PDB file of all heavy atoms in Angstrom:
ATOM      1  N   GLU S  86       6.791   4.658   3.664  1.00  0.00           N
ATOM      2  CA  GLU S  86       6.572   4.083   2.339  1.00  0.00           C
ATOM      3  C   GLU S  86       5.218   4.575   1.844  1.00  0.00           C
ATOM      4  O   GLU S  86       4.262   4.661   2.621  1.00  0.00           O
ATOM      5  CB  GLU S  86       6.525   2.558   2.394  1.00  0.00           C
ATOM      6  CG  GLU S  86       7.797   1.923   2.859  1.00  0.00           C
ATOM      7  CD  GLU S  86       7.703   0.421   3.063  1.00  0.00           C
ATOM      8  OE1 GLU S  86       6.608  -0.161   2.925  1.00  0.00           O
ATOM      9  OE2 GLU S  86       8.749  -0.165   3.371  1.00  0.00           O
ATOM     10  N   THR S 108       3.001   0.692  11.126  1.00  0.00           N
ATOM     11  CA  THR S 108       1.671   1.276  11.151  1.00  0.00           C
ATOM     12  C   THR S 108       1.304   1.578   9.702  1.00  0.00           C
ATOM     13  O   THR S 108       2.181   1.909   8.899  1.00  0.00           O
ATOM     14  CB  THR S 108       1.669   2.558  12.000  1.00  0.00           C
ATOM     15  OG1 THR S 108       2.075   2.222  13.323  1.00  0.00           O
ATOM     16  CG2 THR S 108       0.297   3.211  12.038  1.00  0.00           C
ATOM     17  N   ALA S 109       0.026   1.474   9.358  1.00  0.00           N
ATOM     18  CA  ALA S 109      -0.399   1.694   7.977  1.00  0.00           C
ATOM     19  C   ALA S 109      -1.666   2.540   7.916  1.00  0.00           C
ATOM     20  O   ALA S 109      -2.519   2.469   8.805  1.00  0.00           O
ATOM     21  CB  ALA S 109      -0.641   0.357   7.282  1.00  0.00           C
ATOM     22  N   LEU S 110      -1.761   3.303   6.839  1.00  0.00           N
ATOM     23  CA  LEU S 110      -2.936   4.102   6.506  1.00  0.00           C
ATOM     24  C   LEU S 110      -3.293   3.757   5.068  1.00  0.00           C
ATOM     25  O   LEU S 110      -2.417   3.747   4.198  1.00  0.00           O
ATOM     26  CB  LEU S 110      -2.603   5.597   6.602  1.00  0.00           C
ATOM     27  CG  LEU S 110      -3.515   6.577   5.864  1.00  0.00           C
ATOM     28  CD1 LEU S 110      -4.853   6.693   6.575  1.00  0.00           C
ATOM     29  CD2 LEU S 110      -2.851   7.940   5.769  1.00  0.00           C
ATOM     30  N   LEU S 111      -4.560   3.435   4.808  1.00  0.00           N
ATOM     31  CA  LEU S 111      -5.015   3.144   3.459  1.00  0.00           C
ATOM     32  C   LEU S 111      -6.186   4.072   3.151  1.00  0.00           C
ATOM     33  O   LEU S 111      -7.178   4.084   3.892  1.00  0.00           O
ATOM     34  CB  LEU S 111      -5.458   1.679   3.346  1.00  0.00           C
ATOM     35  CG  LEU S 111      -5.814   1.222   1.947  1.00  0.00           C
ATOM     36  CD1 LEU S 111      -4.551   1.005   1.121  1.00  0.00           C
ATOM     37  CD2 LEU S 111      -6.625  -0.047   1.998  1.00  0.00           C
ATOM     38  N   VAL S 112      -6.068   4.863   2.071  1.00  0.00           N
ATOM     39  CA  VAL S 112      -7.088   5.839   1.685  1.00  0.00           C
ATOM     40  C   VAL S 112      -7.664   5.435   0.330  1.00  0.00           C
ATOM     41  O   VAL S 112      -6.906   5.188  -0.614  1.00  0.00           O
ATOM     42  CB  VAL S 112      -6.491   7.262   1.573  1.00  0.00           C
ATOM     43  CG1 VAL S 112      -7.567   8.271   1.192  1.00  0.00           C
ATOM     44  CG2 VAL S 112      -5.790   7.675   2.854  1.00  0.00           C
ATOM     45  N   TYR S 135     -11.017   5.935   4.774  1.00  0.00           N
ATOM     46  CA  TYR S 135      -9.701   5.388   5.089  1.00  0.00           C
ATOM     47  C   TYR S 135      -9.741   4.550   6.348  1.00  0.00           C
ATOM     48  O   TYR S 135     -10.681   4.623   7.129  1.00  0.00           O
ATOM     49  CB  TYR S 135      -8.642   6.486   5.202  1.00  0.00           C
ATOM     50  CG  TYR S 135      -8.785   7.406   6.386  1.00  0.00           C
ATOM     51  CD1 TYR S 135      -8.093   7.160   7.568  1.00  0.00           C
ATOM     52  CD2 TYR S 135      -9.593   8.526   6.322  1.00  0.00           C
ATOM     53  CE1 TYR S 135      -8.212   8.006   8.658  1.00  0.00           C
ATOM     54  CE2 TYR S 135      -9.719   9.382   7.400  1.00  0.00           C
ATOM     55  CZ  TYR S 135      -9.018   9.120   8.565  1.00  0.00           C
ATOM     56  OH  TYR S 135      -9.142   9.964   9.643  1.00  0.00           O
ATOM     57  N   VAL S 136      -8.693   3.737   6.494  1.00  0.00           N
ATOM     58  CA  VAL S 136      -8.532   2.906   7.677  1.00  0.00           C
ATOM     59  C   VAL S 136      -7.058   2.975   8.085  1.00  0.00           C
ATOM     60  O   VAL S 136      -6.181   3.053   7.229  1.00  0.00           O
ATOM     61  CB  VAL S 136      -9.000   1.451   7.418  1.00  0.00           C
ATOM     62  CG1 VAL S 136      -8.226   0.807   6.287  1.00  0.00           C
ATOM     63  CG2 VAL S 136      -8.926   0.609   8.677  1.00  0.00           C
ATOM     64  N   VAL S 137      -6.823   2.964   9.382  1.00  0.00           N
ATOM     65  CA  VAL S 137      -5.465   2.953   9.935  1.00  0.00           C
ATOM     66  C   VAL S 137      -5.360   1.749  10.852  1.00  0.00           C
ATOM     67  O   VAL S 137      -6.278   1.477  11.622  1.00  0.00           O
ATOM     68  CB  VAL S 137      -5.176   4.234  10.764  1.00  0.00           C
ATOM     69  CG1 VAL S 137      -3.791   4.184  11.376  1.00  0.00           C
ATOM     70  CG2 VAL S 137      -5.346   5.480   9.916  1.00  0.00           C
ATOM     71  N   TRP S 138      -4.250   1.001  10.736  1.00  0.00           N
ATOM     72  CA  TRP S 138      -4.010  -0.078  11.685  1.00  0.00           C
ATOM     73  C   TRP S 138      -2.576  -0.004  12.163  1.00  0.00           C
ATOM     74  O   TRP S 138      -1.689   0.457  11.465  1.00  0.00           O
ATOM     75  CB  TRP S 138      -4.369  -1.449  11.122  1.00  0.00           C
ATOM     76  CG  TRP S 138      -3.613  -1.883   9.904  1.00  0.00           C
ATOM     77  CD1 TRP S 138      -2.450  -2.597   9.880  1.00  0.00           C
ATOM     78  CD2 TRP S 138      -3.966  -1.659   8.546  1.00  0.00           C
ATOM     79  NE1 TRP S 138      -2.067  -2.840   8.591  1.00  0.00           N
ATOM     80  CE2 TRP S 138      -2.984  -2.261   7.747  1.00  0.00           C
ATOM     81  CE3 TRP S 138      -5.033  -1.001   7.919  1.00  0.00           C
ATOM     82  CZ2 TRP S 138      -3.016  -2.237   6.351  1.00  0.00           C
ATOM     83  CZ3 TRP S 138      -5.062  -0.974   6.544  1.00  0.00           C
ATOM     84  CH2 TRP S 138      -4.071  -1.585   5.778  1.00  0.00           C
ATOM     85  N   MET S 155      -4.372   4.756  -1.939  1.00  0.00           N
ATOM     86  CA  MET S 155      -3.050   5.220  -1.548  1.00  0.00           C
ATOM     87  C   MET S 155      -2.770   4.640  -0.176  1.00  0.00           C
ATOM     88  O   MET S 155      -3.578   4.776   0.748  1.00  0.00           O
ATOM     89  CB  MET S 155      -2.950   6.732  -1.497  1.00  0.00           C
ATOM     90  CG  MET S 155      -1.570   7.187  -1.013  1.00  0.00           C
ATOM     91  SD  MET S 155      -1.303   8.941  -1.165  1.00  0.00           S
ATOM     92  CE  MET S 155      -0.864   8.997  -2.894  1.00  0.00           C
ATOM     93  N   ALA S 156      -1.635   3.945  -0.072  1.00  0.00           N
ATOM     94  CA  ALA S 156      -1.224   3.357   1.204  1.00  0.00           C
ATOM     95  C   ALA S 156       0.022   4.074   1.696  1.00  0.00           C
ATOM     96  O   ALA S 156       0.916   4.399   0.909  1.00  0.00           O
ATOM     97  CB  ALA S 156      -0.929   1.865   1.021  1.00  0.00           C
ATOM     98  N   VAL S 157       0.057   4.306   2.985  1.00  0.00           N
ATOM     99  CA  VAL S 157       1.226   4.897   3.640  1.00  0.00           C
ATOM    100  C   VAL S 157       1.572   3.962   4.792  1.00  0.00           C
ATOM    101  O   VAL S 157       0.701   3.606   5.589  1.00  0.00           O
ATOM    102  CB  VAL S 157       0.925   6.318   4.170  1.00  0.00           C
ATOM    103  CG1 VAL S 157       2.145   6.916   4.833  1.00  0.00           C
ATOM    104  CG2 VAL S 157       0.411   7.219   3.044  1.00  0.00           C
ATOM    105  N   ARG S 158       2.852   3.545   4.851  1.00  0.00           N
ATOM    106  CA  ARG S 158       3.308   2.679   5.954  1.00  0.00           C
ATOM    107  C   ARG S 158       4.558   3.302   6.554  1.00  0.00           C
ATOM    108  O   ARG S 158       5.384   3.866   5.839  1.00  0.00           O
ATOM    109  CB  ARG S 158       3.669   1.282   5.440  1.00  0.00           C
ATOM    110  CG  ARG S 158       2.554   0.541   4.796  1.00  0.00           C
ATOM    111  CD  ARG S 158       2.885  -0.902   4.501  1.00  0.00           C
ATOM    112  NE  ARG S 158       4.031  -1.070   3.625  1.00  0.00           N
ATOM    113  CZ  ARG S 158       4.258  -2.155   2.892  1.00  0.00           C
ATOM    114  NH1 ARG S 158       3.409  -3.167   2.924  1.00  0.00           N
ATOM    115  NH2 ARG S 158       5.315  -2.247   2.125  1.00  0.00           N
ATOM    116  N   TRP S 159       4.665   3.165   7.869  1.00  0.00           N
ATOM    117  CA  TRP S 159       5.869   3.680   8.520  1.00  0.00           C
ATOM    118  C   TRP S 159       6.230   2.807   9.698  1.00  0.00           C
ATOM    119  O   TRP S 159       5.341   2.248  10.335  1.00  0.00           O
ATOM    120  CB  TRP S 159       5.702   5.144   8.899  1.00  0.00           C
ATOM    121  CG  TRP S 159       4.583   5.421   9.868  1.00  0.00           C
ATOM    122  CD1 TRP S 159       4.702   5.534  11.221  1.00  0.00           C
ATOM    123  CD2 TRP S 159       3.200   5.634   9.573  1.00  0.00           C
ATOM    124  NE1 TRP S 159       3.464   5.792  11.780  1.00  0.00           N
ATOM    125  CE2 TRP S 159       2.533   5.862  10.786  1.00  0.00           C
ATOM    126  CE3 TRP S 159       2.437   5.645   8.396  1.00  0.00           C
ATOM    127  CZ2 TRP S 159       1.170   6.099  10.862  1.00  0.00           C
ATOM    128  CZ3 TRP S 159       1.073   5.883   8.481  1.00  0.00           C
ATOM    129  CH2 TRP S 159       0.449   6.114   9.697  1.00  0.00           C
TER     130      TRP S 159
END
Side-chain angles (χ1 to χ4, degrees):
E86 297 174 356
T108 300
L110 160 73
L111 186 76
V112 181
Y135 69 94
V136 59
V137 178
W138 61 91
M155 177 171 279
V157 180
R158 299 189 301 202
W159 61 96

